[in-house]
Amino acid sequence: MRPRGRSSYCSGRGHFGQVAVNVFSETADPKQGVATAEGGGVRDVAVVITAAVLPLVLHPSRSLHFDEAFAAHVAGLPWTGWLAFLVRHDAHPPLFYALLKAWTAVLGDSAVALRGLSAVCGGGAVAATIRLGRAALGGQAGMVAGAILAVSPLYLYTAAEARMYPLLVALFALAAAEVLTLWNRNAGFPWLLALALTGLLYTHYLGVGLVAALAAGALWSGGRAALARYAAALAVAGAAFLPWVPILLGHVADGRMTPPWRGSLPPDAILGVVHLIGFGGRTLGAGGYYFLASASLPMQVLLAAPVVALLALGAATSARANEVFFRLATAAVGIPAAALFAASLWTGSFVAYPRYFSFAMPFVAVALASVVASGVTARRLPGAVLAGLFGVVLALSLGSLADFSARPTRGAGDWKAAAAFLESRIRPGDVVAVYPRHTEVPLGYYLPGDRAAWVVLPTDRQDPRATEAAEATDRLAVAFDRVWLVTRWPIPPGGFEATLRRASRTHRVAEFGDFEDVRITLFTRR
């Protein structure tokens, strides 16, 4: 199957067709399915630098959430023991943590420094998207795709936290761009593709699915020859990943992939993902990066309509512009997404966590860039309607960013404010009961001093009665007049209420603070 060339890509008439002719200049090789770029340079660099800076200035004082504090904790461990700690206490491969350790060794472990690595990786994701867009559409289309990605709320959420997702997106977009070059049978061994695939496998376990999806995309878009060259790169990546396979199997057997506190797949989860990758996200509670939608189902459907229309238009236009890219993108996005939802239904655990879908954004950005570039759409859709769709989605995007600016820790917990509240009120002789045990990590980041007064309550996340924690609270109530209880989701169902009832037998609630679901309660003896 040969992709369509320039005659199909810029054949329309009218305003958008003229834009395509004036702004974009591309040449497609129908034998390779790859467009060749003309120009770029300085503007590409400007887009990438801007993209790397934006997440850091979006909300610089935002509190670290638990996952970020955990990453900071791992980064602070000595090199001799960090990997063993990671194997015992986490469910991710080690590449991001190793990079973060090296990064913080130079720049320190402040919140800005920790997130700086993600911002740089986010800039790399934009650069890889530019490369992908240029390989698919040619000319300056790659720069437009990179700019679209750089201003999307999902990108800004991802690149503004000290986690591995920007690195995952960057490697996935780079690998996809390299797969497009597999049409060129005269090229040498695809070492860059092999490196990107290895990085995907060592960044997140989702990378296994992404690598498999690219294999399907290579076969569908490039045939056996492309798949054979992809298999050669995959063989190198697989050999490099082989030492970690026993650990991966151990994590699967231990249930790390389907923690019971996530609950089952919500019925409106797909709509929430559509909003998230479609630039709406948090607008009017339609979806969220850390949390589920709070809007009613009719409101979610109403807000999703223009997003779905624009995404469908992007898919159709990119299919006309370059059928090879369309097939690759369909496999690269559709297969992992379907697998995440299927795993959630099969296991009864919410595996399809919203932020995982950041991997789809480079392909969405390239598809929307094809809409901007293509005159084909002008012939099939009035310019006013097209402008209206972009306008509505832009409004949803701005609304999502406004919500993020107003409540930057929504769904993640404001540990910074919680620690300040506790520090200003704790007295000598008080005891701090932390429940569940992982709560100690983010609280300890903001209260790094003496923890002699801290007690980590026993935590069994599968115990609906929270018996051990409640009994431990009893013992604390006997020994101390003032007991601080710090709790945060996820805890067993009824866990907070159980400890509250136990403590209330001998103590009364003297003070209470809620910091985006980080709850701090002071019990004093009656």
Side-chain angles (χ1 to χ4, degrees):
M1 181 67 66
R2 294 185 178 183
R4 301 177 188 269
R6 177 170 182 157
S7 60
S8 173
Y9 182 63
C10 295
S11 61
R13 295 292 185 266
H15 174 68
F16 281 91
Q18 192 61 42
V19 169
V21 173
N22 293 341
V23 177
F24 293 87
S25 175
E26 62 90 14
T27 304
D29 183 343
K31 294 182 179 180
Q32 298 180 21
V34 181
T36 57
E38 296 177 9
V42 175
R43 281 171 293 185
D44 291 355
V45 172
V47 169
V48 171
I49 292 176
T50 302
V53 172
L54 279 177
L56 295 179
V57 302
L58 184 62
H59 207 297
S61 61
R62 181 170 58 96
S63 167
L64 296 178
H65 60 76
F66 165 73
D67 288 346
E68 293 179 289
F70 179 83
H73 179 73
V74 174
L77 295 174
W79 282 103
T80 53
W82 73 278
L83 189 57
F85 176 88
L86 201 62
V87 170
R88 289 195 306 270
H89 298 285
D90 197 37
H92 296 95
L95 177 59
F96 172 77
Y97 294 107
L99 294 175
L100 189 63
K101 279 186 63 62
W103 178 273
T104 55
V106 177
L107 298 177
D109 65 349
S110 68
V112 173
L114 288 166
R115 289 167 172 156
L117 175 60
S118 293
V120 170
C121 291
V126 171
T129 300
I130 292 174
R131 183 183 180 93
L132 176 62
R134 189 154 289 150
L137 305 175
Q140 299 179 43
M143 184 191 69
V144 174
I148 290 173
L149 176 64
V151 298
S152 69
L154 180 53
Y155 165 80
L156 292 169
Y157 301 155
T158 303
E161 67 168 12
R163 295 297 287 165
M164 67 283 295
Y165 301 102
L167 178 61
L168 186 77
V169 174
L171 292 169
F172 192 41
L174 175 61
E178 289 303 301
V179 169
L180 286 181
T181 68
L182 295 181
W183 282 82
N184 187 352
R185 301 181 184 181
N186 297 323
F189 188 86
W191 288 109
L192 187 57
L193 176 60
L195 183 63
L197 296 180
T198 304
L200 280 172
L201 295 174
Y202 271 105
T203 297
H204 197 287
Y205 287 144
L206 179 59
V208 176
L210 300 182
V211 168
L214 286 178
L219 176 62
W220 187 22
S221 61
R224 294 181 180 178
L227 181 61
R229 300 196 67 242
Y230 183 88
L234 180 58
V236 174
F241 188 64
L242 194 59
W244 193 261
V245 170
I247 299 172
L248 165 61
L249 297 178
H251 285 170
V252 172
D254 194 36
R256 304 276 185 94
M257 310 304 171
T258 56
W261 44 259
R262 280 190 180 175
S264 58
L265 183 71
D268 58 352
I270 294 179
L271 274 175
V273 170
V274 167
H275 282 291
L276 195 60
I277 67 173
F279 299 84
R282 297 165 61 136
T283 303
L284 300 179
Y289 187 65
Y290 307 109
F291 53 89
L292 303 178
S294 59
S296 65
L297 185 59
M299 177 60 73
Q300 292 182 56
V301 173
L302 178 64
L303 294 175
V307 174
V308 172
L310 190 58
L311 292 178
L313 182 60
T317 308
S318 62
R320 296 187 186 97
N322 189 329
E323 191 174 356
V324 172
F325 167 77
F326 172 75
R327 291 185 173 191
L328 178 65
T330 300
V333 174
I335 292 176
L340 285 171
F341 283 110
S344 296
L345 293 172
W346 177 263
T347 63
S349 180
F350 191 17
V351 177
Y353 207 59
R355 61 181 174 180
Y356 289 174
F357 290 88
S358 55
F359 71 83
M361 284 307 298
F363 301 94
V364 172
V366 174
L368 295 184
S370 72
V371 175
V372 175
S374 176
V376 175
T377 58
R379 193 172 54 185
R380 300 172 185 269
L381 193 68
V385 175
L386 184 59
L389 284 176
F390 272 103
V392 171
V393 172
L394 175 61
L396 292 174
S397 177
L398 293 175
S400 188
L401 292 175
D403 182 85
F404 181 75
S405 179
R407 297 182 60 185
T409 56
R410 180 184 176 195
D414 192 346
W415 291 101
K416 184 178 181 179
F421 174 86
L422 182 61
E423 187 176 30
S424 67
R425 288 163 172 78
I426 194 169
R427 301 177 187 174
D430 291 359
V431 64
V432 178
V434 179
Y435 180 64
R437 65 169 55 95
H438 76 264
T439 300
E440 182 183 17
V441 175
L443 191 65
Y445 177 85
Y446 288 105
L447 292 175
D450 183 15
R451 301 189 195 179
W454 291 31
V455 175
V456 180
L457 298 182
T459 303
D460 181 356
R461 62 188 180 185
Q462 299 184 35
D463 179 7
R465 301 178 306 276
T467 306
E468 291 186 60
E471 292 175 349
T473 305
D474 278 349
R475 293 190 291 271
L476 293 177
V478 171
F480 295 92
D481 292 334
R482 287 167 52 93
V483 180
W484 293 92
L485 179 62
V486 183
T487 61
R488 168 73 173 113
W489 176 91
I491 60 176
F496 176 76
E497 291 74 13
T499 54
L500 179 63
R501 287 193 298 269
R502 288 295 187 94
S504 297
R505 296 174 179 178
T506 55
H507 289 60
R508 65 180 180 86
V509 175
E511 196 163 4
F512 176 78
D514 189 313
F515 307 90
E516 297 290 355
D517 293 332
V518 178
R519 298 184 284 190
I520 301 181
T521 310
L522 171 62
F523 298 95
T524 59
R525 192 173 300 278
R526 293 182 183 276

